Amino acid sequence: MNFTDSDNEIMNVMATSFLDNNTRIIVNPADSEPLSCFKYCNTRGYEPKTAVARISLIRPEYFYNLDDGHPVLLLTSNGKNELNAKLSEQSRKYAGLTVFQAVIADYNIEKFGTYIEESKEIKDYELGKPLPLNLKQPDYRELPSIAEAERIIKNRKIETL
């Protein structure tokens, strides 16, 4: 497979931790991104029109303040349940890890250059440091309701899943 320069640029700034027929979970911890978040997409592709939920790895909350041109994705109750279920599945990318742990592993690699074996040695969460692989997965069913989130981000284009 041949990659263009723009393909290589995209590949160098984000990692796909999970992919199925209708979901993509991406880690893209660029300097403009808040610490410890991932992107949850409502489609397999990742294009400018792809709706994106930026979600904390630490607690069930959205990051609303980033504007990279993607529509904001807010999750319905069913969407929150699906997110929890997908993050709890066994990773197809990294043997022996859940998808949530794969997201952490990719975050640590992309943000800090800390690989899985090193991440396994991290015991406690520290702000601004690589995340431990044993970090407890938040209950994303507790993400803000769509109505609550819409109040916070009134003037942005919003999609729901």
Side-chain angles (χ1 to χ4, degrees):
M1 176 181 270
N2 294 323
F3 294 104
T4 65
D5 286 339
S6 64
D7 290 331
N8 286 328
E9 237 176 77
I10 290 169
M11 290 170 55
N12 288 332
V13 297
M14 72 175 131
T16 297
S17 302
F18 178 85
L19 184 66
D20 68 13
N21 288 333
N22 57 7
T23 306
R24 179 180 290 256
I25 298 175
I26 299 169
V27 174
N28 182 11
D31 289 340
S32 63
E33 294 280 337
L35 286 177
S36 309
C37 83
F38 63 94
K39 293 179 178 180
Y40 185 74
C41 306
N42 64 350
T43 168
R44 182 178 176 89
Y46 186 76
E47 301 163 6
K49 65 182 180 191
T50 302
V52 176
R54 289 164 192 83
I55 302 171
S56 171
L57 283 161
I58 308 304
R59 62 189 67 75
E61 72 179 357
Y62 294 110
F63 289 102
Y64 307 105
N65 59 339
L66 300 172
D67 188 2
D68 59 2
H70 290 274
V72 173
L73 174 65
L74 300 175
L75 303 179
T76 62
S77 293
N78 286 341
K80 294 172 191 180
N81 289 333
E82 286 178 23
L83 172 60
N84 267 343
K86 288 176 185 190
L87 289 172
S88 298
E89 290 178 17
Q90 288 299 302
S91 171
R92 290 177 269 168
K93 185 173 184 178
Y94 300 117
L97 299 182
T98 65
V99 171
F100 183 72
Q101 290 170 319
V103 173
I104 291 170
D106 286 339
Y107 173 82
N108 287 349
I109 291 167
E110 295 294 319
K111 183 73 176 178
F112 300 101
T114 302
Y115 288 88
I116 294 175
E117 291 307 315
E118 297 168 294
S119 292
K120 287 179 180 177
E121 302 299 318
I122 301 167
K123 300 298 179 207
D124 297 310
Y125 168 73
E126 290 183 53
L127 183 64
K129 304 272 185 173
L131 301 174
L133 288 179
N134 67 352
L135 187 69
K136 185 177 186 293
Q137 177 182 320
D139 183 350
Y140 290 110
R141 293 174 300 181
E142 296 177 9
L143 281 165
S145 69
I146 290 175
E148 183 180 344
E150 285 176 330
R151 280 193 299 275
I152 295 169
I153 55 173
K154 277 188 218 177
N155 299 318
R156 303 272 311 269
K157 182 177 176 188
I158 296 171
E159 290 190 24
T160 60
L161 173 67

mmCIF file with all atom_site columns, all heavy atoms in Angstrom, residues 24-41:
data_model
loop_
_atom_site.group_PDB
_atom_site.id
_atom_site.type_symbol
_atom_site.label_atom_id
_atom_site.label_alt_id
_atom_site.label_comp_id
_atom_site.label_asym_id
_atom_site.label_entity_id
_atom_site.label_seq_id
_atom_site.pdbx_PDB_ins_code
_atom_site.Cartn_x
_atom_site.Cartn_y
_atom_site.Cartn_z
_atom_site.occupancy
_atom_site.B_iso_or_equiv
_atom_site.pdbx_formal_charge
_atom_site.auth_seq_id
_atom_site.auth_comp_id
_atom_site.auth_asym_id
_atom_site.auth_atom_id
_atom_site.pdbx_PDB_model_num
ATOM 1   N N   . ARG A 1 24 ? -15.258 4.394  15.367 1.00 0.00 ? 24 ARG A N   1
ATOM 2   C CA  . ARG A 1 24 ? -13.802 4.532  15.403 1.00 0.00 ? 24 ARG A CA  1
ATOM 3   C C   . ARG A 1 24 ? -13.463 5.252  16.702 1.00 0.00 ? 24 ARG A C   1
ATOM 4   O O   . ARG A 1 24 ? -14.075 6.256  17.040 1.00 0.00 ? 24 ARG A O   1
ATOM 5   C CB  . ARG A 1 24 ? -13.294 5.341  14.215 1.00 0.00 ? 24 ARG A CB  1
ATOM 6   C CG  . ARG A 1 24 ? -11.777 5.536  14.198 1.00 0.00 ? 24 ARG A CG  1
ATOM 7   C CD  . ARG A 1 24 ? -11.339 6.346  12.986 1.00 0.00 ? 24 ARG A CD  1
ATOM 8   N NE  . ARG A 1 24 ? -11.487 5.587  11.771 1.00 0.00 ? 24 ARG A NE  1
ATOM 9   C CZ  . ARG A 1 24 ? -10.468 5.013  11.103 1.00 0.00 ? 24 ARG A CZ  1
ATOM 10  N NH1 . ARG A 1 24 ? -9.252  5.149  11.539 1.00 0.00 ? 24 ARG A NH1 1
ATOM 11  N NH2 . ARG A 1 24 ? -10.691 4.350  10.004 1.00 0.00 ? 24 ARG A NH2 1
ATOM 12  N N   . ILE A 1 25 ? -12.500 4.705  17.437 1.00 0.00 ? 25 ILE A N   1
ATOM 13  C CA  . ILE A 1 25 ? -11.992 5.365  18.640 1.00 0.00 ? 25 ILE A CA  1
ATOM 14  C C   . ILE A 1 25 ? -10.544 5.723  18.358 1.00 0.00 ? 25 ILE A C   1
ATOM 15  O O   . ILE A 1 25 ? -9.727  4.863  18.027 1.00 0.00 ? 25 ILE A O   1
ATOM 16  C CB  . ILE A 1 25 ? -12.107 4.467  19.886 1.00 0.00 ? 25 ILE A CB  1
ATOM 17  C CG1 . ILE A 1 25 ? -13.582 4.152  20.165 1.00 0.00 ? 25 ILE A CG1 1
ATOM 18  C CG2 . ILE A 1 25 ? -11.459 5.151  21.096 1.00 0.00 ? 25 ILE A CG2 1
ATOM 19  C CD1 . ILE A 1 25 ? -13.812 3.182  21.304 1.00 0.00 ? 25 ILE A CD1 1
ATOM 20  N N   . ILE A 1 26 ? -10.261 7.022  18.479 1.00 0.00 ? 26 ILE A N   1
ATOM 21  C CA  . ILE A 1 26 ? -8.968  7.581  18.082 1.00 0.00 ? 26 ILE A CA  1
ATOM 22  C C   . ILE A 1 26 ? -8.308  8.263  19.272 1.00 0.00 ? 26 ILE A C   1
ATOM 23  O O   . ILE A 1 26 ? -8.979  8.893  20.081 1.00 0.00 ? 26 ILE A O   1
ATOM 24  C CB  . ILE A 1 26 ? -9.168  8.637  16.977 1.00 0.00 ? 26 ILE A CB  1
ATOM 25  C CG1 . ILE A 1 26 ? -9.802  8.013  15.738 1.00 0.00 ? 26 ILE A CG1 1
ATOM 26  C CG2 . ILE A 1 26 ? -7.852  9.322  16.621 1.00 0.00 ? 26 ILE A CG2 1
ATOM 27  C CD1 . ILE A 1 26 ? -10.255 9.030  14.721 1.00 0.00 ? 26 ILE A CD1 1
ATOM 28  N N   . VAL A 1 27 ? -6.998  8.149  19.314 1.00 0.00 ? 27 VAL A N   1
ATOM 29  C CA  . VAL A 1 27 ? -6.208  8.924  20.263 1.00 0.00 ? 27 VAL A CA  1
ATOM 30  C C   . VAL A 1 27 ? -5.408  9.918  19.444 1.00 0.00 ? 27 VAL A C   1
ATOM 31  O O   . VAL A 1 27 ? -4.722  9.548  18.494 1.00 0.00 ? 27 VAL A O   1
ATOM 32  C CB  . VAL A 1 27 ? -5.257  8.014  21.072 1.00 0.00 ? 27 VAL A CB  1
ATOM 33  C CG1 . VAL A 1 27 ? -4.347  8.829  21.950 1.00 0.00 ? 27 VAL A CG1 1
ATOM 34  C CG2 . VAL A 1 27 ? -6.058  7.026  21.888 1.00 0.00 ? 27 VAL A CG2 1
ATOM 35  N N   . ASN A 1 28 ? -5.549  11.184 19.789 1.00 0.00 ? 28 ASN A N   1
ATOM 36  C CA  . ASN A 1 28 ? -4.868  12.253 19.063 1.00 0.00 ? 28 ASN A CA  1
ATOM 37  C C   . ASN A 1 28 ? -4.455  13.330 20.059 1.00 0.00 ? 28 ASN A C   1
ATOM 38  O O   . ASN A 1 28 ? -5.035  14.407 20.094 1.00 0.00 ? 28 ASN A O   1
ATOM 39  C CB  . ASN A 1 28 ? -5.802  12.819 17.991 1.00 0.00 ? 28 ASN A CB  1
ATOM 40  C CG  . ASN A 1 28 ? -5.157  13.900 17.165 1.00 0.00 ? 28 ASN A CG  1
ATOM 41  O OD1 . ASN A 1 28 ? -3.952  14.114 17.225 1.00 0.00 ? 28 ASN A OD1 1
ATOM 42  N ND2 . ASN A 1 28 ? -5.954  14.596 16.382 1.00 0.00 ? 28 ASN A ND2 1
ATOM 43  N N   . PRO A 1 29 ? -3.452  13.043 20.888 1.00 0.00 ? 29 PRO A N   1
ATOM 44  C CA  . PRO A 1 29 ? -3.105  13.981 21.957 1.00 0.00 ? 29 PRO A CA  1
ATOM 45  C C   . PRO A 1 29 ? -2.162  15.095 21.507 1.00 0.00 ? 29 PRO A C   1
ATOM 46  O O   . PRO A 1 29 ? -1.086  15.283 22.052 1.00 0.00 ? 29 PRO A O   1
ATOM 47  C CB  . PRO A 1 29 ? -2.445  13.070 22.990 1.00 0.00 ? 29 PRO A CB  1
ATOM 48  C CG  . PRO A 1 29 ? -1.798  12.021 22.165 1.00 0.00 ? 29 PRO A CG  1
ATOM 49  C CD  . PRO A 1 29 ? -2.704  11.811 20.985 1.00 0.00 ? 29 PRO A CD  1
ATOM 50  N N   . ALA A 1 30 ? -2.574  15.833 20.499 1.00 0.00 ? 30 ALA A N   1
ATOM 51  C CA  . ALA A 1 30 ? -1.784  16.982 20.052 1.00 0.00 ? 30 ALA A CA  1
ATOM 52  C C   . ALA A 1 30 ? -1.736  18.013 21.167 1.00 0.00 ? 30 ALA A C   1
ATOM 53  O O   . ALA A 1 30 ? -2.537  17.981 22.096 1.00 0.00 ? 30 ALA A O   1
ATOM 54  C CB  . ALA A 1 30 ? -2.416  17.587 18.796 1.00 0.00 ? 30 ALA A CB  1
ATOM 55  N N   . ASP A 1 31 ? -0.809  18.929 21.072 1.00 0.00 ? 31 ASP A N   1
ATOM 56  C CA  . ASP A 1 31 ? -0.659  19.948 22.116 1.00 0.00 ? 31 ASP A CA  1
ATOM 57  C C   . ASP A 1 31 ? -1.941  20.714 22.373 1.00 0.00 ? 31 ASP A C   1
ATOM 58  O O   . ASP A 1 31 ? -2.189  21.176 23.476 1.00 0.00 ? 31 ASP A O   1
ATOM 59  C CB  . ASP A 1 31 ? 0.461   20.918 21.757 1.00 0.00 ? 31 ASP A CB  1
ATOM 60  C CG  . ASP A 1 31 ? 1.822   20.249 21.868 1.00 0.00 ? 31 ASP A CG  1
ATOM 61  O OD1 . ASP A 1 31 ? 1.940   19.214 22.555 1.00 0.00 ? 31 ASP A OD1 1
ATOM 62  O OD2 . ASP A 1 31 ? 2.766   20.760 21.267 1.00 0.00 ? 31 ASP A OD2 1
ATOM 63  N N   . SER A 1 32 ? -2.783  20.883 21.341 1.00 0.00 ? 32 SER A N   1
ATOM 64  C CA  . SER A 1 32 ? -4.027  21.633 21.529 1.00 0.00 ? 32 SER A CA  1
ATOM 65  C C   . SER A 1 32 ? -5.105  20.804 22.210 1.00 0.00 ? 32 SER A C   1
ATOM 66  O O   . SER A 1 32 ? -6.095  21.317 22.671 1.00 0.00 ? 32 SER A O   1
ATOM 67  C CB  . SER A 1 32 ? -4.544  22.123 20.176 1.00 0.00 ? 32 SER A CB  1
ATOM 68  O OG  . SER A 1 32 ? -4.856  21.017 19.355 1.00 0.00 ? 32 SER A OG  1
ATOM 69  N N   . GLU A 1 33 ? -4.913  19.486 22.274 1.00 0.00 ? 33 GLU A N   1
ATOM 70  C CA  . GLU A 1 33 ? -5.896  18.618 22.912 1.00 0.00 ? 33 GLU A CA  1
ATOM 71  C C   . GLU A 1 33 ? -5.716  18.650 24.428 1.00 0.00 ? 33 GLU A C   1
ATOM 72  O O   . GLU A 1 33 ? -4.607  18.763 24.922 1.00 0.00 ? 33 GLU A O   1
ATOM 73  C CB  . GLU A 1 33 ? -5.709  17.165 22.437 1.00 0.00 ? 33 GLU A CB  1
ATOM 74  C CG  . GLU A 1 33 ? -5.995  16.949 20.973 1.00 0.00 ? 33 GLU A CG  1
ATOM 75  C CD  . GLU A 1 33 ? -7.465  16.836 20.669 1.00 0.00 ? 33 GLU A CD  1
ATOM 76  O OE1 . GLU A 1 33 ? -8.247  16.489 21.556 1.00 0.00 ? 33 GLU A OE1 1
ATOM 77  O OE2 . GLU A 1 33 ? -7.832  17.120 19.529 1.00 0.00 ? 33 GLU A OE2 1
ATOM 78  N N   . PRO A 1 34 ? -6.799  18.515 25.155 1.00 0.00 ? 34 PRO A N   1
ATOM 79  C CA  . PRO A 1 34 ? -6.655  18.414 26.607 1.00 0.00 ? 34 PRO A CA  1
ATOM 80  C C   . PRO A 1 34 ? -5.961  17.099 26.961 1.00 0.00 ? 34 PRO A C   1
ATOM 81  O O   . PRO A 1 34 ? -5.970  16.159 26.173 1.00 0.00 ? 34 PRO A O   1
ATOM 82  C CB  . PRO A 1 34 ? -8.085  18.431 27.122 1.00 0.00 ? 34 PRO A CB  1
ATOM 83  C CG  . PRO A 1 34 ? -8.927  18.106 25.957 1.00 0.00 ? 34 PRO A CG  1
ATOM 84  C CD  . PRO A 1 34 ? -8.173  18.457 24.720 1.00 0.00 ? 34 PRO A CD  1
ATOM 85  N N   . LEU A 1 35 ? -5.378  17.076 28.110 1.00 0.00 ? 35 LEU A N   1
ATOM 86  C CA  . LEU A 1 35 ? -4.749  15.840 28.554 1.00 0.00 ? 35 LEU A CA  1
ATOM 87  C C   . LEU A 1 35 ? -5.790  14.753 28.734 1.00 0.00 ? 35 LEU A C   1
ATOM 88  O O   . LEU A 1 35 ? -6.925  15.022 29.116 1.00 0.00 ? 35 LEU A O   1
ATOM 89  C CB  . LEU A 1 35 ? -4.020  16.063 29.874 1.00 0.00 ? 35 LEU A CB  1
ATOM 90  C CG  . LEU A 1 35 ? -2.724  16.841 29.785 1.00 0.00 ? 35 LEU A CG  1
ATOM 91  C CD1 . LEU A 1 35 ? -2.153  17.051 31.186 1.00 0.00 ? 35 LEU A CD1 1
ATOM 92  C CD2 . LEU A 1 35 ? -1.714  16.130 28.911 1.00 0.00 ? 35 LEU A CD2 1
ATOM 93  N N   . SER A 1 36 ? -5.403  13.558 28.454 1.00 0.00 ? 36 SER A N   1
ATOM 94  C CA  . SER A 1 36 ? -6.183  12.370 28.795 1.00 0.00 ? 36 SER A CA  1
ATOM 95  C C   . SER A 1 36 ? -7.576  12.321 28.178 1.00 0.00 ? 36 SER A C   1
ATOM 96  O O   . SER A 1 36 ? -8.566  12.158 28.869 1.00 0.00 ? 36 SER A O   1
ATOM 97  C CB  . SER A 1 36 ? -6.295  12.232 30.309 1.00 0.00 ? 36 SER A CB  1
ATOM 98  O OG  . SER A 1 36 ? -5.051  12.320 30.915 1.00 0.00 ? 36 SER A OG  1
ATOM 99  N N   . CYS A 1 37 ? -7.667  12.440 26.857 1.00 0.00 ? 37 CYS A N   1
ATOM 100 C CA  . CYS A 1 37 ? -8.961  12.258 26.211 1.00 0.00 ? 37 CYS A CA  1
ATOM 101 C C   . CYS A 1 37 ? -8.806  11.420 24.958 1.00 0.00 ? 37 CYS A C   1
ATOM 102 O O   . CYS A 1 37 ? -7.710  11.219 24.448 1.00 0.00 ? 37 CYS A O   1
ATOM 103 C CB  . CYS A 1 37 ? -9.637  13.590 25.911 1.00 0.00 ? 37 CYS A CB  1
ATOM 104 S SG  . CYS A 1 37 ? -9.131  14.427 24.410 1.00 0.00 ? 37 CYS A SG  1
ATOM 105 N N   . PHE A 1 38 ? -9.928  10.903 24.484 1.00 0.00 ? 38 PHE A N   1
ATOM 106 C CA  . PHE A 1 38 ? -9.965  10.172 23.224 1.00 0.00 ? 38 PHE A CA  1
ATOM 107 C C   . PHE A 1 38 ? -11.118 10.707 22.405 1.00 0.00 ? 38 PHE A C   1
ATOM 108 O O   . PHE A 1 38 ? -11.987 11.415 22.911 1.00 0.00 ? 38 PHE A O   1
ATOM 109 C CB  . PHE A 1 38 ? -10.087 8.656  23.454 1.00 0.00 ? 38 PHE A CB  1
ATOM 110 C CG  . PHE A 1 38 ? -11.354 8.218  24.145 1.00 0.00 ? 38 PHE A CG  1
ATOM 111 C CD1 . PHE A 1 38 ? -12.456 7.810  23.405 1.00 0.00 ? 38 PHE A CD1 1
ATOM 112 C CD2 . PHE A 1 38 ? -11.448 8.203  25.531 1.00 0.00 ? 38 PHE A CD2 1
ATOM 113 C CE1 . PHE A 1 38 ? -13.624 7.402  24.034 1.00 0.00 ? 38 PHE A CE1 1
ATOM 114 C CE2 . PHE A 1 38 ? -12.605 7.789  26.170 1.00 0.00 ? 38 PHE A CE2 1
ATOM 115 C CZ  . PHE A 1 38 ? -13.698 7.388  25.416 1.00 0.00 ? 38 PHE A CZ  1
ATOM 116 N N   . LYS A 1 39 ? -11.116 10.360 21.116 1.00 0.00 ? 39 LYS A N   1
ATOM 117 C CA  . LYS A 1 39 ? -12.192 10.766 20.224 1.00 0.00 ? 39 LYS A CA  1
ATOM 118 C C   . LYS A 1 39 ? -13.016 9.534  19.865 1.00 0.00 ? 39 LYS A C   1
ATOM 119 O O   . LYS A 1 39 ? -12.471 8.511  19.466 1.00 0.00 ? 39 LYS A O   1
ATOM 120 C CB  . LYS A 1 39 ? -11.630 11.390 18.949 1.00 0.00 ? 39 LYS A CB  1
ATOM 121 C CG  . LYS A 1 39 ? -10.919 12.703 19.189 1.00 0.00 ? 39 LYS A CG  1
ATOM 122 C CD  . LYS A 1 39 ? -10.366 13.264 17.892 1.00 0.00 ? 39 LYS A CD  1
ATOM 123 C CE  . LYS A 1 39 ? -9.689  14.609 18.133 1.00 0.00 ? 39 LYS A CE  1
ATOM 124 N NZ  . LYS A 1 39 ? -9.144  15.153 16.890 1.00 0.00 ? 39 LYS A NZ  1
ATOM 125 N N   . TYR A 1 40 ? -14.325 9.666  20.016 1.00 0.00 ? 40 TYR A N   1
ATOM 126 C CA  . TYR A 1 40 ? -15.270 8.607  19.690 1.00 0.00 ? 40 TYR A CA  1
ATOM 127 C C   . TYR A 1 40 ? -16.070 9.076  18.489 1.00 0.00 ? 40 TYR A C   1
ATOM 128 O O   . TYR A 1 40 ? -16.715 10.130 18.555 1.00 0.00 ? 40 TYR A O   1
ATOM 129 C CB  . TYR A 1 40 ? -16.172 8.342  20.893 1.00 0.00 ? 40 TYR A CB  1
ATOM 130 C CG  . TYR A 1 40 ? -17.127 7.186  20.744 1.00 0.00 ? 40 TYR A CG  1
ATOM 131 C CD1 . TYR A 1 40 ? -16.681 5.876  20.815 1.00 0.00 ? 40 TYR A CD1 1
ATOM 132 C CD2 . TYR A 1 40 ? -18.483 7.411  20.566 1.00 0.00 ? 40 TYR A CD2 1
ATOM 133 C CE1 . TYR A 1 40 ? -17.563 4.812  20.714 1.00 0.00 ? 40 TYR A CE1 1
ATOM 134 C CE2 . TYR A 1 40 ? -19.378 6.363  20.458 1.00 0.00 ? 40 TYR A CE2 1
ATOM 135 C CZ  . TYR A 1 40 ? -18.909 5.058  20.535 1.00 0.00 ? 40 TYR A CZ  1
ATOM 136 O OH  . TYR A 1 40 ? -19.788 4.006  20.431 1.00 0.00 ? 40 TYR A OH  1
ATOM 137 N N   . CYS A 1 41 ? -15.995 8.332  17.390 1.00 0.00 ? 41 CYS A N   1
ATOM 138 C CA  . CYS A 1 41 ? -16.653 8.737  16.136 1.00 0.00 ? 41 CYS A CA  1
ATOM 139 C C   . CYS A 1 41 ? -17.809 7.803  15.824 1.00 0.00 ? 41 CYS A C   1
ATOM 140 O O   . CYS A 1 41 ? -17.747 6.607  16.094 1.00 0.00 ? 41 CYS A O   1
ATOM 141 C CB  . CYS A 1 41 ? -15.652 8.695  14.981 1.00 0.00 ? 41 CYS A CB  1
ATOM 142 S SG  . CYS A 1 41 ? -14.157 9.645  15.277 1.00 0.00 ? 41 CYS A SG  1
#
